[in-house]
Amino acid sequence: MNLHIKNDSGFLALALRMVVGWTYFSAFFRRTILADKLDPETAGYIGEKFNHFLPNALGIKPIILYLVENPDILWYNMVAFTIIEGIVGLFIIFGLFTRLMSIGVFGLAMGILLGSGWIGTTCLDEWQIGVLGIATGFVLFLTGSGRFSLDNYLMTKNVSITKKKIFAWLGSGLLPIRDCIFSKVVIIGSFFILGLTLYTNQVFHGGLWGTLHNKSVKPKLEITEGKIDNNTLSFDVFRVEGVDVYGAWIIGVELKDSNGKIILNYTQNKLATLPKQNIANYYIAKIKPGKHSLIVPLGAKAKMNFNDPEIQNLPSGQYTLKMTDISGVSWEHQITKN
């Protein structure tokens, strides 16, 4: 009897089931029970968090871009995603249709890894969650749930579905694969996951060679499409790096001519009172005036328009646009006025 228990791999994976199950079910629990994070009008809306993934997502950036550009479709996807996380987590905890749910764990973890594996201010948080979730999903698919599960209960009660061959693929029990093929599945799958782990670690963080980097520590803005037309300065600004839990605080926007003379100077007080119609946001995460500065969340992109008589009838030539963060970091963009 003891030997049988020790050889029940699904039973031995019980701790993995409990922890990974709660990991995914808790996401559903947090967003629907503890707080309403599915309401687009409230702070903490999950769609804005999803927007944070956009700048450096790997392979799935076009999907994320499409969703954040279409708020209604994004909301439906966030609701569906949350429900799936809840179902997968709960079923994994109770060991019901374990192998089918393990595929869900694998898929959800892959989405986390590719979308947000680059985010993590201290311990590469999202990357670790992603790769460990993928490995756990693979292991649970191989083991099933074992004796302490609803799958096992249904099998002991001889419920009709458990007598069908497909149940071994969807639930638990011995996989109907020959031993020689099964061993290859384990080895190939394990080394594929190891390769994915090493590859994403290098791409996101330089973890194998070269210089270590963490794109979640310091804010970085990309300024493009600069244009001076009559008395209007316009440009696109996109925050592509930095901490995801708070924005970059822009305290200065300057326009200088080729001699370094300041033509236009918006200080933090002016930026804090900038009319909202001067900011045309592209995505869910929005650039907006704050109490003491202009706030630029991670993943936010907007067209900025500054109307000022100081730039009317400026002569043709090269101009430099400069944006300064409260940390002292600044970014420049060259504008040619014809």
Side-chain angles (χ1 to χ4, degrees):
M1 183 69 173
N2 289 334
L3 182 63
H4 179 69
I5 293 175
K6 291 178 181 177
N7 282 280
D8 184 350
S9 59
F11 179 64
L12 299 180
L14 179 61
L16 285 178
R17 267 180 43 216
M18 298 294 107
V19 172
V20 78
W22 176 252
T23 298
Y24 288 100
F25 180 76
S26 66
F28 169 85
F29 189 71
R30 291 194 310 273
R31 294 175 204 154
T32 59
I33 306 300
L34 298 183
D36 185 1
K37 293 183 177 294
L38 294 174
D39 184 351
E41 302 302 321
T42 61
Y45 171 48
I46 188 63
E48 185 169 340
K49 176 71 175 178
F50 189 75
N51 194 163
H52 295 165
F53 302 165
L54 176 63
N56 298 290
L58 180 62
I60 60 173
K61 185 181 291 188
I63 298 173
I64 297 176
L65 179 61
Y66 174 78
L67 291 175
V68 298
E69 287 180 334
N70 296 273
D72 292 342
I73 297 175
L74 173 64
W75 182 82
Y76 284 114
N77 277 270
M78 292 297 97
V79 171
F81 184 76
T82 299
I83 293 172
I84 290 170
E85 283 187 305
I87 293 173
V88 167
L90 197 62
F91 277 41
I92 285 288
I93 290 173
F94 287 100
L96 180 61
F97 293 107
T98 305
R99 289 197 170 106
L100 177 61
M101 296 301 113
S102 72
I103 295 172
V105 169
F106 189 97
L108 290 169
M110 184 68 79
I112 292 171
L113 175 64
L114 298 180
S116 60
W118 64 279
I119 295 177
T121 55
T122 54
C123 298
L124 314 185
D125 312 328
E126 302 293 336
W127 175 78
Q128 291 178 340
I129 292 171
V131 294
L132 290 175
I134 289 171
T136 300
F138 180 62
V139 169
L140 290 178
F141 181 82
L142 297 175
T143 65
S145 283
R147 62 179 54 216
F148 197 73
S149 68
L150 289 180
D151 281 344
N152 184 68
Y153 175 80
L154 295 177
M155 288 188 288
T156 58
K157 295 298 182 180
N158 292 316
V159 175
S160 58
I161 190 174
T162 64
K163 297 177 182 179
K164 298 179 179 179
K165 187 176 181 179
I166 194 174
F167 185 77
W169 293 100
L170 301 179
S172 298
L174 290 177
L175 279 169
I177 304 176
R178 287 180 296 174
D179 287 350
C180 61
I181 297 177
F182 185 78
S183 63
K184 292 178 181 177
V185 170
V186 173
I187 293 171
I188 293 172
S190 297
F191 277 94
F192 168 77
I193 293 171
L194 173 62
L196 181 66
T197 299
L198 297 178
Y199 173 70
T200 53
N201 190 210
Q202 174 62 29
V203 170
F204 290 139
H205 306 292
L208 296 184
W209 65 82
T211 304
L212 283 170
H213 56 267
N214 189 337
K215 296 180 180 179
S216 296
V217 177
K218 297 179 180 179
K220 179 181 178 182
L221 303 184
E222 288 183 353
I223 308 172
T224 58
E225 304 298 325
K227 185 179 179 182
I228 300 173
D229 185 16
N230 293 325
N231 66 336
T232 300
L233 166 67
S234 64
F235 58 90
D236 284 355
V237 59
F238 183 24
R239 184 176 160 210
V240 296
E241 294 183 15
V243 181
D244 58 322
V245 292
Y246 54 82
W249 293 299
I250 305 303
I251 59 170
V253 174
E254 294 179 345
L255 182 69
K256 300 179 181 180
D257 64 16
S258 57
N259 296 317
K261 179 183 177 182
I262 298 176
I263 307 299
L264 187 69
N265 184 21
Y266 272 69
T267 61
Q268 65 182 93
N269 291 331
K270 283 186 177 181
L271 292 172
T273 57
L274 192 68
K276 291 185 178 181
Q277 59 264 30
N278 287 34
I279 308 171
N281 284 287
Y282 291 102
Y283 309 141
I284 295 296
K286 299 186 184 303
I287 298 174
K288 57 187 177 182
K291 188 174 182 180
H292 301 291
S293 63
L294 184 69
I295 301 174
V296 185
L298 180 60
K301 182 178 181 180
K303 179 170 287 296
M304 308 294 299
N305 294 285
F306 292 85
N307 306 102
D308 198 295
E310 294 294 331
I311 57 176
Q312 193 168 13
N313 300 321
L314 283 178
S316 299
Q318 289 286 331
Y319 294 87
T320 300
L321 171 66
K322 180 179 178 181
M323 299 186 73
T324 303
D325 181 70
I326 195 170
S327 65
V329 178
S330 62
W331 304 270
E332 295 185 351
H333 176 62
Q334 300 300 314
I335 302 175
T336 301
K337 185 178 186 299
N338 298 318

